[in-house]
Amino acid sequence: MEILYGSVVLVTGASSGIGKAIAEKLAMEGYKVYGTSRNQRLEDEDSPVIRSGAKGGFLKILKMDVCSEESVKRAVGHVIEREGTINILINNAGFGIGGAVEDTTAEEAFRQFDTNFFGVLRMCRNVIPVMRAQGKGLIINIGSVAGLISIPFQSMYSASKYAVEAMSEVLRMEVQPFGIKVTLIEPGDTKTGFTKNRQAAQAAEKNTSVYRDRYEKAINAMAVSEMNGPGPDKVVNVVLKVIEMKNPPVRKVVGVSYKLIVFLKRILPSRLVEFVVAKLY
């Protein structure tokens, strides 16, 4: 595998699921990978290390919370101090909140955006100056098909991923003159701990919610689809392909069926798309 942008990679949300799979695979391919987790208790020197042997890559886990500017600055500075640079940033940290719009408080919505959107913003703001100074770099934002097709009773999750879509498109144009590439990777249903860790708006699970029956039906349908979906390997393979591209695309949807769904959304009437999605959930 050709190391095109450089060997130092920072991956957020690397303690489980897609982030963990990406971090471990890149370490095996010879990259110096710093993964982050807000639940990590150990600092870098004592953290678990996975070495790839012949290729010399490694994975170290840093404690970092993307919702804290101070925590982000400390982790980014930690990598710079040890490696002198960051060549690739993979923004993967995220979670989902379920519930009808009416049942979701502003505080719950902000918590969703604080991780999924503002977390990406904090990472980009702290890493881009490093990439700009070296004249090259790659930023991969892990989005979601839900950021292209809104999912009922996952409004805030879809909205946060739509926001990442918009920011990533603009960011590509802004940093292109500095040799920095930006791309979106959009998985569909994937079998990870995301399903188990999905949270609910407090009002969504109360008997007083007029949406409760439909909400539970939708969430159960999502859980079945996710647990029957492929593991993270498909997403990992797409990440590897993007890292090998000199000019990565704006976005890459993961999975043939999801590519078809996204294509159909572009050509079918909006009312028909709405009807089909509503029937699914």
Side-chain angles (χ1 to χ4, degrees):
M1 182 177 181
E2 180 185 2
I3 295 182
L4 184 62
Y5 295 93
S7 62
V8 182
V9 185
L10 180 57
V11 183
T12 68
S15 61
S16 62
I18 291 172
K20 181 180 180 182
I22 291 171
E24 289 180 349
K25 181 62 176 178
L26 289 177
M28 295 301 291
E29 291 293 332
Y31 286 85
K32 300 173 182 178
V33 183
Y34 289 83
T36 74
S37 169
R38 64 181 178 181
N39 297 320
Q40 176 66 26
R41 294 182 179 178
L42 303 175
E43 294 302 327
D44 180 44
E45 289 80 4
D46 302 316
S47 65
V49 177
I50 300 171
R51 297 196 178 276
S52 65
K55 294 186 179 180
F58 63 76
L59 166 59
K60 292 186 177 181
I61 302 296
L62 303 176
K63 182 175 182 177
M64 190 193 77
D65 183 357
V66 297
C67 296
S68 165
E69 183 74 22
E70 180 183 353
S71 180
V72 169
K73 285 183 180 296
R74 184 167 59 245
V76 170
H78 194 86
V79 178
I80 299 296
E81 181 181 346
R82 279 154 181 75
E83 304 295 341
T85 188
I86 295 173
N87 305 117
I88 300 172
L89 169 63
I90 301 178
N91 285 308
N92 168 78
F95 75 104
I97 290 180
V101 172
E102 185 181 350
D103 285 339
T104 306
T105 66
E107 290 76 18
E108 288 168 331
F110 177 76
R111 185 155 50 87
Q112 178 75 99
F113 270 76
D114 202 15
T115 296
N116 291 13
F117 176 75
F118 290 109
V120 175
L121 175 63
R122 291 183 188 101
M123 294 305 303
C124 289
R125 279 176 43 79
N126 281 276
V127 172
I128 286 173
V130 181
M131 293 181 171
R132 188 161 39 77
Q134 66 197 15
K136 67 175 181 178
L138 173 65
I139 298 172
I140 296 176
N141 292 331
I142 305 297
S144 171
V145 170
L148 296 169
I149 300 173
S150 300
I151 308 298
F153 302 101
Q154 282 205 117
S155 60
M156 293 306 120
Y157 178 75
S158 284
S160 69
K161 290 299 186 180
Y162 265 83
V164 170
E165 291 274 326
M167 182 170 65
S168 300
E169 290 178 358
V170 172
L171 186 60
R172 278 175 62 92
M173 294 183 277
E174 292 175 346
V175 299
Q176 187 273 336
F178 304 109
I180 304 170
K181 312 294 184 180
V182 181
T183 195
L184 282 151
I185 292 179
E186 292 152 335
D189 293 324
T190 306
K191 187 176 181 179
T192 67
F194 181 89
T195 305
K196 178 178 151 184
N197 294 328
R198 181 183 284 112
Q199 299 178 24
Q202 286 189 358
E205 298 188 322
K206 292 182 178 179
N207 291 328
T208 53
S209 173
V210 298
Y211 305 97
R212 183 169 178 181
D213 290 344
R214 292 168 58 209
Y215 159 74
E216 289 182 346
K217 179 184 175 183
I219 291 297
N220 289 336
M222 292 170 207
V224 169
S225 295
E226 289 162 358
M227 296 314 292
N228 288 331
D233 288 350
K234 282 194 174 183
V235 183
V236 173
N237 291 336
V238 174
V239 170
L240 294 178
K241 288 179 182 177
V242 167
I243 287 176
E244 293 179 318
M245 295 178 179
K246 290 182 179 179
N247 293 297
V250 176
R251 61 178 53 82
K252 286 189 74 73
V253 177
V254 181
V256 175
S257 60
Y258 294 105
K259 290 178 183 177
L260 177 60
I261 291 169
V262 171
F263 172 73
L264 290 175
K265 184 190 176 181
R266 294 191 184 118
I267 63 173
L268 293 176
S270 296
R271 285 181 182 272
L272 179 57
V273 173
E274 178 186 63
F275 175 79
V276 172
V277 174
K279 283 293 183 184
L280 289 173
Y281 298 102

